[in-house]
Amino acid sequence: MEIEQEDLFAPRLVTTEELFAPGHRACIGCGEALAVRHVCKALGKNVIIVTATGCVEIISSLLPQTSWRVAWIHTLFENVSAVVSGVESGYKARKRKGKVPAAKDVKFVGFGGDGATTDIGLQALSGAMERGHDFLYCCFDNEAYMNTGIQRSSSTPYGAWTTTAPVGKKSIGQMTWKKNMPEIVVAHRIPYVATASPSYPFDLMAKVKRGLETKGPAYIQILSVCPTGWRCAPDLSIELGRLAAETGVFPLYEVINGEYRLTHDLPELKPIKEYLKLQGRFKHLTDDAIELIQTRVEEDYMKLKAKAGVK
Amino acid sequence: MKKVVGLEGSFAIAEAVRMANTDVISAYPITPQTHIVERLSEMVADGDLDAEFICVESEHSAMSACVGASAAGARVFTCSAGQGLELMHEVLYIPSSMRLPVVAVAANRALSAPLSVWCDHSDVMAIRDIGWIQMFAENNQQAFDLTVCAYRIAEEVLFPTMVHIDGFFLSHVIEDMVLPNDEEVAGFIPEYKHPFTLDPDNPVSMGCYAPPFIYSETKKAQEVAFESTHSKIQETWKEFGDLFGRYYLPVEQYRMEDAKIALFTMGSFSETAMLAVDELREEGKEVGLIRLRLWRPFPFKEFRDAVKDVELLVVLDRAVSFGMGGPVCSEVKSALYDLRKKPNIVAFIGGLGGRDISVNEFKYMIREAQEKEKAIERGEDVEVEMIGIRE
Ligand SMILES: Cc1ncc(C[n+]2csc(CCOP(=O)(O)OP(=O)(O)O)c2C)c(N)n1
Ligand code: SF4
Ligand SMILES: [Mg+2]
């Protein structure tokens, strides 16, 4: 989705109001902070955001300051979806009892890293989706526990170096394949699931708006390039997000009421080597290992295309 | 109009939650708390209670949802026991540190392993330091009354409040009790209004993180505020007494006039202990009973007053602090350490995992304690005795 003269149009298409205030403490080139900024623009002000422990929380809420210009709460690492359930239910009950005007427009949003989502908070998320609370969940997927120092998560890709999946004589780093979290969410049959990336800001914001307007649970997994943890140059965040989509490593799609749609269809995938070689976390990979990953990525992409009915 | 009814403890608590017009209930079933959640589910299903009942997938989520709902300005309730309280342990510190007035009931239960669904106070001891106001009920009437008071107290002082009932001994036993009518209770608990709620029209950030330069200050503020709840707790109980005729105190005394020996208990065994005291009094012994109603914040002043003329204090613990003895006894000793004149203290551990303690066993404790006291006077080490153990 290239827009000609984007710099001229963008300010007209997107609000210049920053609900995630500048001055936060993220590393240079942090894709996660950028994603949060875009997401907040799309969310608008009528939201309550519940955030998990992790980089997003740490960079934004050092007492006595806050980056949040919207109603915001953080409590623990693994309970975002349960806290959102409570906030939403609290409003529901109070509206019904006339303690809050029934017409008051409030939306409920959960933010979690990949660790908070795919590992320690999976149960709470599954419970909240199954119960059908009206909320949007955004998973900021930087593919490891970054806040605690680049430890592997179940969302870390095969072959990546992390501090708990180190490269050694008997290890190539992460030895398991990235958990397919969006598919797990789809299995809950919730009305809206999507993947997105701040490298495609308009697509990201459109998806956030769609998720927000959905009645019932909605889930968006947002690839968030982390120069610190990925061992890449901080000025490559946008580029890497694009390459992740273009190589098929992180395909962009939506699942609306069970119907798959590729939002960024690629007739031809770029070789994943172009993506891997820019990141220090993959620099030890042999050609054989890269070949193995290439095969898997292609297989997965074909399956996804089939689901979306794309030839 | 007063109604005398026969109610199970769990149902009595559910009545209190209904009369309080609770907005959100979030709970996960565990024996012996199950009848409370089941009864509340029925009330919601029948439309007798207009609340959102969040059937969460764990106790961790139960307390987390309570935190969220409370932060959103709702009146909330949960209940749990034993393993469930352990699973929600991490979350229990959140409402007390964020000043959210969650109301909870714990149907006290032993902790695994071995698995036991029956009552003791191991779960209570594991959550001593969570910063909640915590109190003990001894019978179903008290369970109802204290739950009603818990809403009022929690929402006025902005600290979460927990009522402990002994699992099975209260939760599953039907007793006569007086049930006030809905309007009386509604009049006693004004509508809940938290000064800061999650509201897009007035956005606040809750739960920011604290670096070393400010963390200690937050904890100091919390401790000062928590200690200052004593007067509000007592005022509320007084007002409740004036309205409903039943008065509660942080430390309650039974036949303590001129008592030289005092038993010290918490929870449902206090009623058995009273019977033992009655019998011993008939035998001419100067024995009384001190029951702790308010467990946190610990009522130092009232407790020290209660024991000021006591020579021998016999403490019954219903939990083990492994390698340390009885946890309540440790607290009692530390509460009295600074006094110039203090009683000898003899500790027993009993009633673990649902084991009953009889009147005779309480009398045994008093007798044995007098022997042990002699050993203490001789300067000998006296070990904590676990009573009723088959060897
Ligand atoms: C119960 C618990 N276990 C562990 C931690 C430590 N911890 C805090 S954040 C974090 C990792 C966060 O990873 P992720 O969710 O991927 O977010 P990121 O920082 O990468 O954005 C960990 C392990 C914690 N705070 N609480
Ligand atoms: S560690 Fe990574 S995700 Fe965290 S702030 Fe730095 S760049 Fe962003
Ligand atoms: Mg992460």
Side-chain angles (χ1 to χ4, degrees):
Chain A
M1 239 195 292
E2 301 279 322
I3 297 177
E4 270 178 53
Q5 292 185 307
E6 190 176 312
D7 51 342
L8 280 180
F9 286 113
R12 293 174 190 277
L13 296 170
V14 184
T15 171
T16 49
E17 188 173 8
E18 302 294 351
L19 297 172
F20 180 64
H24 58 70
R25 292 168 163 81
C27 314
I28 316 171
C30 175
E32 195 158 271
L34 183 61
V36 169
R37 179 181 170 208
H38 291 328
V39 168
C40 284
K41 282 178 187 274
L43 291 176
K45 282 182 177 162
N46 288 338
V47 290
I48 294 171
I49 299 177
V50 183
T51 299
T53 310
C55 274
V56 173
E57 167 253 340
I58 289 294
I59 63 173
S60 66
S61 74
L62 181 82
L63 270 175
Q65 294 170 323
T66 177
S67 306
W68 302 95
R69 290 174 176 154
V70 291
W72 180 87
I73 182 170
H74 157 260
T75 67
L76 294 166
F77 184 22
E78 66 279 53
N79 67 349
V80 160
S81 307
V83 176
V84 177
S85 304
V87 177
E88 184 246 15
S89 300
Y91 265 88
K92 209 165 155 186
R94 292 178 73 226
K95 277 188 179 181
R96 199 169 58 227
K97 293 176 165 186
K99 297 178 188 174
V100 172
K104 186 169 170 130
D105 180 27
V106 190
K107 299 272 199 284
F108 310 97
V109 183
F111 281 2
D114 49 296
T117 308
T118 71
D119 289 336
I120 200 165
L122 180 58
Q123 171 180 324
L125 174 59
S126 175
M129 291 191 298
E130 175 270 325
R131 292 190 299 271
H133 294 280
D134 190 10
F135 74 115
L136 166 66
Y137 190 98
C138 296
C139 168
F140 296 94
D141 184 6
N142 55 17
E143 304 193 318
Y145 303 158
M146 295 311 179
N147 176 50
T148 36
I150 326 172
Q151 294 90 16
R152 62 89 71 182
S153 78
S154 61
S155 198
T156 302
Y158 178 86
W161 162 91
T162 68
T163 54
T164 53
V167 179
K169 283 193 199 108
K170 295 182 177 177
S171 166
I172 63 153
Q174 177 88 338
M175 301 220 265
T176 52
W177 296 94
K178 182 180 173 87
K179 185 185 276 184
N180 193 334
M181 188 61 202
E183 283 298 318
I184 294 171
V185 177
V186 168
H188 287 74
R189 298 208 171 187
I190 64 169
Y192 188 79
V193 182
T195 61
S197 152
S199 298
Y200 302 88
F202 294 106
D203 178 60
L204 167 61
M205 287 187 264
K207 285 171 176 167
V208 169
K209 284 189 175 139
R210 234 166 278 149
L212 200 63
E213 292 312 320
T214 302
K215 270 259 149 281
Y219 176 90
I220 306 180
Q221 186 149 330
I222 304 164
L223 186 72
S224 307
V225 177
C226 166
T228 307
W230 293 16
R231 298 293 195 244
C232 64
D235 58 358
L236 284 183
S237 293
I238 304 296
E239 178 71 15
L240 276 170
R242 292 218 174 117
L243 281 169
E246 289 164 356
T247 56
V249 165
F250 194 92
L252 302 180
Y253 62 98
E254 281 179 325
V255 188
I256 304 177
N257 296 318
E259 298 287 325
Y260 283 73
R261 188 173 81 85
L262 292 180
T263 50
H264 194 75
D265 184 26
L266 305 150
E268 210 56 62
L269 293 180
K270 285 189 180 166
I272 55 153
K273 202 167 184 170
E274 288 186 28
Y275 173 67
L276 302 181
K277 73 178 183 208
L278 297 174
Q279 304 172 50
R281 63 175 174 157
F282 294 118
K283 73 167 190 285
H284 56 284
L285 291 184
T286 60
D287 285 347
D288 283 353
I290 293 174
E291 193 48 43
L292 185 70
I293 300 171
Q294 181 72 54
T295 310
R296 172 98 175 197
V297 165
E298 282 171 18
E299 261 175 39
D300 285 353
Y301 196 70
M302 293 320 278
K303 282 185 202 156
L304 180 65
K305 273 180 124 172
K307 282 184 194 163
V310 178
K311 293 267 156 41
Chain B
M1 258 279 292
K2 278 184 189 170
K3 270 193 301 198
V4 177
V5 290
L7 264 193
E8 193 186 89
S10 296
F11 283 35
I13 288 161
E15 281 301 323
V17 175
R18 182 185 65 74
M19 291 184 192
N21 193 14
T22 304
D23 297 319
V24 175
I25 299 157
S26 169
Y28 191 84
I30 179 168
T31 307
Q33 151 269 35
T34 38
H35 289 184
I36 309 175
V37 280
E38 289 170 0
R39 185 76 194 103
L40 287 169
S41 304
E42 282 171 5
M43 288 172 166
V44 173
D46 288 339
D48 294 333
L49 168 57
D50 185 6
E52 284 296 308
F53 193 116
I54 315 178
C55 262
V56 278
E57 77 304 325
S58 74
E59 287 86 355
H60 197 284
S61 287
M63 187 50 65
S64 298
C66 283
V67 164
S70 185
R75 175 173 287 167
V76 302
F77 176 81
T78 191
C79 46
S80 193
Q83 305 309 128
L85 284 172
E86 288 296 295
L87 186 56
M88 68 167 65
H89 192 266
E90 182 195 25
V91 199
L92 286 166
Y93 289 79
I94 301 295
S96 48
S97 306
M98 290 172 67
R99 307 292 300 271
L100 298 170
V102 176
V103 172
V105 167
N108 303 143
R109 162 176 163 164
L111 295 178
S112 296
L115 187 144
S116 165
V117 298
W118 292 277
C119 178
D120 70 29
H121 289 171
S122 304
D123 56 355
V124 183
M125 295 308 137
I127 58 169
R128 274 185 308 185
D129 302 331
I130 55 174
W132 285 51
I133 295 169
Q134 300 185 56
M135 55 192 71
F136 278 89
E138 293 153 11
N139 56 41
N140 293 353
Q141 182 74 63
Q142 294 179 4
F144 173 87
D145 293 352
L146 293 178
T147 304
V148 168
C149 291
Y151 282 96
R152 173 77 182 269
I153 294 167
E155 291 172 6
E156 277 190 26
V157 301
L158 298 181
F159 275 106
T161 302
M162 189 178 290
V163 178
H164 291 287
I165 64 162
D166 282 348
F168 290 109
F169 292 101
L170 266 63
S171 62
H172 286 58
V173 169
I174 297 173
E175 288 179 339
D176 276 0
M177 55 175 291
V178 177
L179 217 50
N181 62 37
D182 292 10
E183 294 71 38
E184 284 173 315
V185 173
F188 183 68
I189 313 174
E191 192 172 319
Y192 167 51
K193 267 208 162 33
H194 196 285
F196 304 100
T197 51
L198 289 170
D199 180 358
D201 293 336
N202 184 22
V204 291
S205 293
M206 293 190 188
C208 295
Y209 86 100
F213 85 86
I214 201 165
Y215 184 84
S216 305
E217 282 71 15
T218 68
K219 291 295 123 179
K220 172 77 181 173
Q222 185 179 339
E223 171 66 352
V224 169
F226 192 57
E227 282 294 346
S228 75
T229 61
H230 275 289
S231 54
K232 189 49 87 184
I233 294 167
Q234 294 192 42
E235 277 167 33
T236 305
W237 283 343
K238 167 84 170 52
E239 196 182 323
F240 181 90
D242 292 345
L243 276 169
F244 298 99
R246 293 178 298 279
Y247 291 87
Y248 295 101
L249 294 169
V251 175
E252 291 182 13
Q253 307 185 20
Y254 182 70
R255 304 191 76 168
M256 280 298 292
E257 64 289 345
D258 75 6
K260 295 282 172 283
I261 304 174
L263 266 169
F264 181 91
T265 55
M266 315 193 302
S268 63
F269 280 4
S270 304
E271 299 205 331
T272 319
M274 284 183 203
L275 295 175
V277 166
D278 288 345
E279 290 186 15
L280 289 167
R281 280 277 177 184
E282 246 159 66
E283 292 167 21
K285 295 231 159 60
E286 293 165 317
V287 178
L289 173 68
I290 297 171
R291 299 127 68 204
L292 196 71
R293 166 125 5 258
L294 184 63
W295 171 232
R296 285 293 187 276
F298 193 87
F300 285 98
K301 187 179 155 298
E302 292 80 1
F303 175 60
R304 287 171 186 153
D305 276 354
V307 300
K308 68 178 185 311
D309 298 321
V310 171
E311 286 163 13
L312 173 61
L313 186 63
V314 185
V315 180
L316 172 66
D317 252 295
R318 299 189 66 188
V320 186
S321 171
F322 296 100
M324 184 66 192
V328 175
C329 187
S330 301
E331 299 219 348
V332 161
K333 284 181 177 170
S334 82
L336 300 181
Y337 184 80
D338 287 340
L339 298 188
R340 292 302 115 219
K341 177 176 166 290
K342 49 187 167 259
N344 286 317
I345 299 174
V346 174
F348 291 90
I349 293 174
L352 300 184
R355 182 82 56 90
D356 210 352
I357 296 185
S358 64
V359 173
N360 277 339
E361 277 173 311
F362 274 111
K363 288 164 76 176
Y364 163 85
M365 279 187 257
I366 300 280
R367 270 199 317 276
E368 271 303 297
Q370 285 169 294
E371 293 307 311
K372 290 175 195 284
E373 187 183 29
K374 288 178 198 150
I376 294 173
E377 300 280 359
R378 291 195 297 272
E380 293 167 19
D381 278 349
V382 174
E383 280 180 16
V384 185
E385 181 180 335
M386 261 204 211
I387 56 164
I389 299 295
R390 293 187 306 276
E391 308 221 5

